[in-house]
């Protein structure tokens, strides 16, 4: 059964009309806005692996840890947006499911969910209390400069459901998920509806805390055909987006260019990977704001090569009504901070 979740947004009337807010509305600002997928992550202690799951969760919901890490990219690189919770596994972890170690909160091995009894057992468990998530976002919004945007961030239902069916963090081609979807469609529907409600609660807490845009990452749908996506994944992602009313909605489906035309009608912005140019994406989803799509490999290149790659993304981005500069994937943690700051300054000063 779908759970009723309180969703309301705070007023953004006092916020200045910055380039990112203009781009979100489909306008082309004088300055191109920029932020990065994976720009913030939780700096965990050296003994992280020795902590119990409950101890890890307490650390992950401690504002003294989360907020500085969320604000650091804004302070260091002057990006135009901040994200508090970029770990797509966090909602499952708060449910006592740690797929990184493969262990539950009782220390027992987590088995893949591939039977009706296992799915029934999961969906009858209570959802986490999202109060701490909401409070952290509220405090982060208060500490963030008014000209910066706070983005609610989470995985799409297909990602979470597939993680549970596969039982591992990197499922490759998601073969077990596709078999499960086709062989047990009712059970899959029950599981992905549960995932939708879990994620809706997580995202709603962030929006109540003051996030003014919402991004769901859904790259794994690239393994699905258009028919599979339309029947087995799209209704659940669309349902979440529709529940959030007028908030800016971003769908990041890196590598799923065959699905852009299906996804575009129910979101405001499409996140684009490096398997397709922004010009081609604009043809597949005409009139839609695009976000992306610098190949992160260029961040390791010499400055002239990097400049050329950034220029090409900026040029191709003009094919869309508006463009938010970003990477085509998560920002690698070993990239030099000075190189990231150079990209931000270069994009901000581009004409």
């Amino acid at each position: 059964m779908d759970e009723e979740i309180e969703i309301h947004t705070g007023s953004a009337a006092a916020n200045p009309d910055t380039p990112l807010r203009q781009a979100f509305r489909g306008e082309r600002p004088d300055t191109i806005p920029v932020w990065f997928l994976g720009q913030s992550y939780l700096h965990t202690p050296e003994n992280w692996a020795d902590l119990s799951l409950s101890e890890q969760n307490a650390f992950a919901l401690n504002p003294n840890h989360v907020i500085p890490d969320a604000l650091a990219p804004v302070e260091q690189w002057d990006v135009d947006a901040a994200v508090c919770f970029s770990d797509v596994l966090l909602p499952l972890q708060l449910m006592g499911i740690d797929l990184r170690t493969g262990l539950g909160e009782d220390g027992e091995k987590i088995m893949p969910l591939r039977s009706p009894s296992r799915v029934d057992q999961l969906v009858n468990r209570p959802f986490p209390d999202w109060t701490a998530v909401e409070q952290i976002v509220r405090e982060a919004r208060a500490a963030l400069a008014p000209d910066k945007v706070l983005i609610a961030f989470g995985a799409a239902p297909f990602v979470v459901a597939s993680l549970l069916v596969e039982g591992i963090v990197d499922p490759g081609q998601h073969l077990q998920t596709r078999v499960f979807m086709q062989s047990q469609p009712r059970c899959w529907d029950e599981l992905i509806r549960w995932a939708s409600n879990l994620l809706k609660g997580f995202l709603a807490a962030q929006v109540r805390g003051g996030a003014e845009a919402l991004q769901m990452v859904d790259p794994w749908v690239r393994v699905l055909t258009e028919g599979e996506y339309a029947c087995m994944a799209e209704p659940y992602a669309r349902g979440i987006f529709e529940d959030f009313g007028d908030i800016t909605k971003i769908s990041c489906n890196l590598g799923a260019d065959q699905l852009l035309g299906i996804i575009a009608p129910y979101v405001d912005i499409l996140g684009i990977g490096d398997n397709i140019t922004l010009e081609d994406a604009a043809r597949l989803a005409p009139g839609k704001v695009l976000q992306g799509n610098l190949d992160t490999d260029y961040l390791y290149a010499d400055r002239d090569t990097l400049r050329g790659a950034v220029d090409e993304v900026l040029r191709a981005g003009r094919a869309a009504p508006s463009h938010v500069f970003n990477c085509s994937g998560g920002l690698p943690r070993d990239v030099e901070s000075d190189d990231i700051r150079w990209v931000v300054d270069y994009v901000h000063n581009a004409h």
Side-chain angles (χ1 to χ4, degrees):
M1 180 179 295
D2 290 347
E3 183 176 279
E4 290 295 326
I5 296 172
E6 179 188 4
I7 300 174
H8 60 79
T9 60
S11 173
N15 291 329
D17 193 24
T18 56
L20 183 55
R21 294 183 176 108
Q22 294 169 21
F24 279 173
R25 296 197 303 267
E27 302 170 9
R28 185 164 287 279
D30 293 334
T31 300
I32 298 172
V34 53
W35 70 282
F36 299 108
L37 294 171
Q39 67 182 26
S40 61
Y41 58 92
L42 191 64
H43 287 78
T44 55
E46 292 184 2
N47 66 334
W48 182 254
D50 298 325
L51 300 180
S52 67
L53 186 56
S54 61
E55 289 172 328
Q56 290 182 2
N57 287 341
F59 187 95
L61 294 179
N62 186 326
N64 295 325
H65 303 311
V66 178
I67 295 176
D69 286 342
L71 300 184
V74 175
E75 297 166 350
Q76 295 175 10
W77 306 324
D78 194 32
V79 290
D80 295 291
V83 173
C84 283
F85 299 102
S86 58
D87 183 0
V88 298
L89 296 179
L90 181 59
L92 285 177
Q93 187 171 309
L94 296 176
M95 286 291 303
I97 302 170
D98 186 357
L99 290 174
R100 289 191 176 92
T101 64
L103 301 176
E105 56 189 346
D106 55 3
E108 294 186 3
K109 182 177 175 59
I110 297 170
M111 301 302 293
L113 270 66
R114 299 174 190 168
S115 68
S117 61
R118 296 290 318 287
V119 172
D120 287 343
Q121 187 178 33
L122 173 68
V123 302
N124 287 319
R125 294 169 59 181
F127 287 132
D129 180 352
W130 303 112
T131 303
V133 171
E134 180 178 342
Q135 185 58 33
I136 286 172
V137 175
R138 181 170 289 109
E139 292 180 25
R141 177 65 269 180
L144 192 63
D147 62 326
K148 304 299 184 180
V149 172
L150 191 59
I151 299 176
F153 191 93
F158 180 81
V159 171
V160 171
S162 183
L163 282 166
L164 293 169
V165 172
E166 302 285 345
I168 54 177
V169 174
D170 187 9
Q173 292 300 308
H174 306 264
L175 178 60
Q176 294 297 334
T177 301
R178 298 181 74 183
V179 169
F180 185 75
M181 288 165 51
Q182 300 294 342
S183 64
Q184 301 189 63
R186 291 185 180 180
C187 198
W188 169 258
D189 176 72
E190 186 178 17
L191 176 60
I192 197 170
R193 282 185 185 276
W194 175 87
S196 298
N197 283 323
L198 174 71
L199 295 166
K200 193 186 302 180
F202 180 54
L203 292 166
Q206 296 177 64
V207 172
R208 291 194 302 270
E212 59 183 279
L214 181 158
Q215 173 163 301
M216 283 202 301
V217 292
D218 205 7
W220 292 349
V221 294
R222 65 179 178 269
V223 304
L224 303 180
T225 66
E226 291 185 33
E228 287 174 330
Y229 178 74
C231 295
M232 301 290 194
E234 185 266 348
Y236 310 97
R238 173 168 45 82
I240 291 178
F241 279 123
E242 289 176 347
D243 280 344
F244 280 87
D246 293 334
I247 192 171
T248 298
K249 305 172 184 70
I250 310 168
S251 185
C252 194
N253 307 82
L254 307 179
D257 49 282
Q258 81 277 15
L259 304 175
L260 292 181
I262 302 175
I263 299 166
Y266 58 87
V267 299
D268 303 301
I269 301 162
L270 290 169
I272 306 299
D274 57 15
N275 62 305
I276 185 174
T277 68
L278 293 178
E279 291 169 314
D280 287 340
R283 283 191 286 270
L284 291 170
K288 195 62 58 175
V289 177
L290 300 181
Q291 177 177 279
N293 69 336
L294 179 70
D295 186 335
T296 55
D297 287 347
Y298 283 109
L299 294 170
Y300 300 101
D302 62 81
R303 190 57 52 84
D304 287 341
T305 301
L306 176 58
R307 180 184 292 107
V310 172
D311 283 340
E312 176 57 24
V313 172
L314 294 173
R315 184 200 64 78
R318 301 198 70 82
S322 191
H323 172 219
V324 178
F325 191 94
N326 207 309
C327 288
S328 62
L331 190 68
R333 298 186 183 184
D334 59 349
V335 173
E336 292 292 334
S337 181
D338 288 346
D339 290 333
I340 300 171
R341 179 61 194 246
W342 181 88
V343 171
V344 174
D345 289 342
Y346 187 81
V347 171
H348 280 163
N349 291 313
H351 297 288

